Amino acid sequence: GVRYSHVIDPRTGMALTTQVTARVIANDGATADALATALTVVGPEGAQRILDKFPDVVISLSVDGRQ
């Protein structure tokens, strides 16, 4: 009954089970894609640490359907 994501958490080696949706606007698609994947792994708790390194990026995160 557990849904597993195709994204693997490198800290555990397991697929994600929390549904995090990340929408990223960046200067190029590769950066947006990489950041969206990273943000789904770290979630809202770790997002600011990543975003501090990318000041031109705009994001929207939702966890299990809640923004």
Side-chain angles (χ1 to χ4, degrees):
V2 177
R3 277 198 151 171
Y4 293 96
S5 170
H6 70 283
V7 177
I8 304 297
D9 186 337
R11 299 169 294 191
T12 63
M14 300 292 295
L16 301 179
T17 56
T18 302
Q19 183 180 353
V20 177
T21 303
R23 295 167 194 89
V24 179
I25 299 173
N27 291 329
D28 62 271
T31 300
D33 183 50
L35 288 174
T37 301
L39 290 167
T40 61
V41 172
V42 299
E45 305 81 29
Q48 192 60 53
R49 190 176 68 238
I50 291 174
L51 294 176
D52 287 342
K53 297 176 180 166
F54 296 90
D56 297 335
V57 170
V58 176
I59 70 150
S60 170
L61 285 179
S62 61
V63 179
D64 293 327
R66 296 180 306 273
Q67 286 195 5

